[in-house]
Amino acid sequence: MALTPRLDLRQSQQLVMTPQLQQAIKLLQYTNVELTDFVSGEVEKNPLLDFAEGDAPIASDSDGGFDADHGADVRGEMPQEGVVRSDEVLLSNRDVGTRDDNPLDADYSDNVFNSDAVPDRASMSEGGGMSGGGDQLSYSGSGSISGGGGGFEEGGALEARLSEEVLLRDHLNDQLKISHLEPHEKMIATHLIESLDDAGYVREELDQISDQLGCSLDEVESVLTILQGMEPVGVFARDLTECLAIQLREKDRFDPCMQRLLENLDKVAMRDFPALKKACGVDEEDLADMLQELRDLNPKPGLAFAGSELMQPVVPDVFVRKNPAGIWTVELNTDTLPKVLLNNTYYSELTSLAGKKDDKAYLSECFSNANWLVKALDQRARTIMKVATELVKQQQMFFDRGVRHLRPLNLKAIAEAIEMHESTVSRVTANKYLSCPRGLFEMKYFFTSAIQSADGMESHSAESVRDQIKELIDKEDPKKILSDDKIVELLKTDGVDIARRTVAKYREALNIPSSVQRRRLKKMGL
């Protein structure tokens, strides 16, 4: 066969992810706070984008549905393509949005969440809005794109209140101003204050501080001793033992027995009470009192103050409520979503004034990016609603009866039901929170592994089994402490087939001591 150059035409298919598609995928896993930061950056860069103002809430009728003039009815049917007028969808509708949307999918390995979440009561606030009329295309944060100007009410009351909190270093510097230290001692004190971590500990070695400041180690130690008398009690400690000792001295409870107890904190963590009684030279009753005093102390006194970065409160992304008809409804929390609009009028004015080709190209790019952002936010809201609605539908028994009725569930079940990829469901449920009458839950809380039933019936959720183990231990007789083997037997009578090592793993995850340790605690009255 002759080796000669030639030209061949071939057809091939390949998946190309554009930068906009990659960004749209990232939007799915953003929290509302991260999303707001991202949108704020886009608004600053794009002159055609602005935050909406004057959004009016969507009116709902007494049946829990929506007025037909405003979009979806009680069955959650969506209006024409590109326009979503409702931010509430009933669980009786399997598909949230019937248009042929392409999900923002990418191939990732299977991921089944299995973790605990602590429920917390969340305040339910009515939200949602849409805008109509005018020459502006806007995204109102309620899963809707609509024409017209909208409204955006500033909700910075909480942020303003947090920003007014006193920082730990400011609190200590205020005390330093009224102290009677010499100028060179105040210089050392200022350095020590700046070296504190968020918990209020001095992590830097004192000899390093003395070398940096060009003073003696004795002077640093002397100033440190004075600073350890500041409020909050326990700051400027170099380790946990010293922190607790400072607080005990303040209470005049730092006697030799308590000192020996602090020297054996490792045995306290191991709950080795016989060794503690021997080391401290006290009886059972005195040891119980000493341990209780330790529990009343604050191991991280600096955390009582605001840190250098304000902690963001956990805000629900989705509300789940029962309507008057007794049907569970799902609603996006629109209060925390950014509301942006594309100003078509401004775009037309600038286009008519732009004479240069580069100016027109720039405006065209801004218009394209703004239009994409509005649609990407709408797609994100639709996807969250689809996942949350199916999630609540799958776990309806939990919302009706509680954690004991939580079903085993994985990402695949939700993905197949809403016809999306598992990776999309994984992104949507990451760092998202759901508020319901039973409390505030992370969405991944509802994804739990299955535990085989002893009688061959429906399998049990790992989370519900953990709850059963906790209830059995809470109700155990102090004179008959349940061993892990006994817990296995009791669970089998309830139809749960579980191994002893699994019981031990779940018990440790719940921070419940072993039967031997619980027997010691009960005997000491703890």
Side-chain angles (χ1 to χ4, degrees):
M1 183 181 214
L3 298 176
T4 58
R6 64 178 183 177
L7 295 176
D8 289 333
L9 293 177
R10 297 182 181 178
Q11 287 184 338
S12 63
Q13 291 182 338
Q14 67 181 80
L15 178 63
V16 178
M17 294 185 65
T18 64
Q20 285 188 337
L21 179 58
Q22 294 176 12
Q23 187 61 65
I25 291 174
K26 289 182 181 179
L27 290 182
L28 281 178
Q29 60 195 63
Y30 280 170
T31 65
N32 285 355
V33 174
E34 293 171 338
L35 183 66
T36 301
D37 291 341
F38 171 77
V39 172
S40 297
E42 292 297 313
V43 170
E44 290 179 3
K45 294 187 295 184
N46 197 326
L48 302 181
L49 277 175
D50 200 357
F51 286 108
E53 295 182 359
D55 283 87
I58 299 177
S60 61
D61 59 27
S62 59
D63 296 329
F66 290 95
D67 192 305
D69 294 336
H70 289 86
D73 63 10
V74 294
R75 297 188 181 277
E77 297 175 0
M78 288 297 182
Q80 66 269 27
E81 181 177 354
V83 179
V84 187
R85 301 289 188 182
S86 167
D87 61 356
E88 182 170 340
V89 181
L90 295 184
L91 292 178
S92 57
N93 176 43
R94 173 170 285 274
D95 295 325
V96 183
T98 56
R99 68 175 184 170
D100 187 16
D101 290 329
N102 293 323
L104 305 174
D105 289 344
D107 292 332
Y108 273 79
S109 59
D110 294 347
N111 184 10
V112 178
F113 292 109
N114 182 14
S115 65
D116 301 326
V118 181
D120 188 16
R121 289 289 171 185
S123 58
M124 300 292 188
S125 60
E126 293 297 330
M130 69 175 190
S131 54
D135 296 323
Q136 296 171 328
L137 180 67
S138 68
Y139 170 75
S140 65
S142 59
S144 61
I145 297 180
S146 57
F152 179 72
E153 295 183 0
E154 295 294 341
L158 178 59
E159 288 79 1
R161 186 168 65 252
L162 287 175
S163 63
E164 293 175 358
E165 291 183 2
V166 179
L167 299 178
L168 174 62
R169 289 175 177 82
D170 294 339
H171 180 66
L172 295 173
N173 281 320
D174 289 341
Q175 298 177 66
L176 181 60
K177 292 176 184 177
I178 60 175
S179 66
H180 299 288
L181 296 177
E182 297 296 329
H184 73 281
E185 292 176 327
K186 285 190 176 182
M187 181 189 67
I188 298 173
T190 301
H191 185 92
L192 288 170
I193 290 175
E194 292 300 322
S195 68
L196 291 179
D197 63 9
D198 291 339
Y201 284 80
V202 176
R203 300 300 186 184
E204 193 175 355
E205 295 294 334
L206 297 188
D207 54 355
Q208 295 179 359
I209 296 177
S210 65
D211 291 340
Q212 293 175 13
L213 300 180
C215 58
S216 66
L217 180 60
D218 291 340
E219 287 178 310
V220 177
E221 291 178 343
S222 175
V223 173
L224 179 64
T225 302
I226 296 173
L227 295 180
Q228 287 176 349
M230 287 185 172
E231 292 287 341
V233 180
V235 291
F236 294 101
R238 284 161 287 183
D239 53 41
L240 177 61
T241 300
E242 187 174 23
C243 178
L244 299 179
I246 293 171
Q247 296 177 60
L248 288 170
R249 289 193 186 97
E250 179 69 18
K251 294 183 177 183
D252 196 22
R253 283 292 298 123
F254 191 66
D255 53 31
C257 293
M258 189 63 77
Q259 182 177 358
R260 286 192 289 271
L261 181 63
L262 292 183
E263 293 169 355
N264 292 274
L265 287 179
D266 56 333
K267 292 184 175 61
V268 174
M270 296 170 58
R271 300 176 186 270
D272 190 352
F273 301 125
L276 288 173
K277 287 190 292 184
K278 182 178 180 181
C280 300
V282 295
D283 56 20
E284 229 172 60
E285 184 177 353
D286 289 337
L287 179 60
D289 292 339
M290 293 165 66
L291 292 175
Q292 185 57 51
E293 288 184 46
L294 282 187
R295 293 190 184 94
D296 294 338
L297 303 177
N298 186 357
K300 297 180 179 180
L303 296 185
F305 292 81
S308 56
E309 295 183 2
L310 295 177
M311 296 292 292
Q312 292 292 344
V314 175
V315 179
D317 298 88
V318 175
F319 290 128
V320 178
R321 304 164 177 161
K322 261 189 179 180
N323 65 7
I327 301 175
W328 288 105
T329 62
V330 179
E331 177 185 358
L332 279 178
N333 181 8
T334 59
D335 291 341
T336 60
L337 290 175
K339 302 172 179 65
V340 295
L341 58 86
L342 168 59
N343 196 327
N344 282 321
T345 303
Y346 189 44
Y347 172 67
S348 300
E349 292 177 358
L350 292 177
T351 304
S352 62
L353 296 174
K356 296 181 180 179
K357 184 178 179 181
D358 292 343
D359 295 340
K360 291 183 178 180
Y362 170 73
L363 290 175
S364 178
E365 182 182 1
C366 288
F367 181 84
S368 176
N369 291 339
N371 192 46
W372 166 83
L373 179 61
V374 171
K375 291 182 178 179
L377 292 175
D378 171 60
Q379 179 66 53
R380 177 183 182 273
R382 286 175 177 271
T383 307
I384 292 176
M385 282 296 297
K386 283 184 180 181
V387 173
T389 301
E390 184 61 31
L391 186 64
V392 175
K393 186 184 299 183
Q394 295 275 2
Q395 298 288 9
Q396 187 167 346
M397 290 298 292
F398 165 84
F399 295 97
D400 287 333
R401 299 186 182 181
V403 66
R404 194 62 62 85
H405 299 274
L406 198 64
R407 293 179 51 199
L409 186 65
N410 57 26
L411 296 172
K412 185 178 180 181
I414 298 293
E416 290 179 349
I418 63 177
E419 298 181 350
M420 286 187 174
H421 197 275
E422 292 177 47
S423 62
T424 304
V425 179
S426 175
R427 291 186 182 91
V428 169
T429 55
N431 302 316
K432 306 293 191 306
Y433 290 85
L434 180 150
S435 178
C436 65
R438 296 192 178 277
L440 182 66
F441 298 87
E442 195 172 3
M443 280 193 183
K444 66 180 181 180
Y445 172 83
F446 298 97
F447 294 94
T448 63
S449 57
I451 294 179
Q452 191 63 35
S453 174
D455 51 12
M457 302 295 288
E458 186 177 359
S459 57
H460 301 270
S461 163
E463 188 63 36
S464 66
V465 173
R466 274 193 284 266
D467 185 70
Q468 285 182 267
I469 293 174
K470 184 177 184 302
E471 183 178 350
L472 287 172
I473 293 176
D474 288 342
K475 294 182 178 179
E476 68 184 355
D477 188 342
K479 297 181 180 179
K480 296 181 180 179
I481 301 298
L482 299 176
S483 64
D484 291 344
D485 290 323
K486 184 62 177 177
I487 293 175
V488 170
E489 295 177 9
L490 294 175
L491 289 175
K492 280 189 177 180
T493 60
D494 289 339
V496 180
D497 188 9
I498 189 172
R500 179 188 176 278
R501 63 179 179 275
T502 308
V503 171
K505 182 180 72 173
Y506 288 172
R507 175 178 52 74
E508 291 172 359
L510 294 168
N511 293 320
I512 297 176
S514 65
S515 58
V516 176
Q517 293 172 331
R518 296 201 307 275
R519 187 175 293 109
R520 290 174 180 170
L521 291 172
K522 297 285 185 182
K523 190 175 181 181
M524 298 177 65
L526 299 176

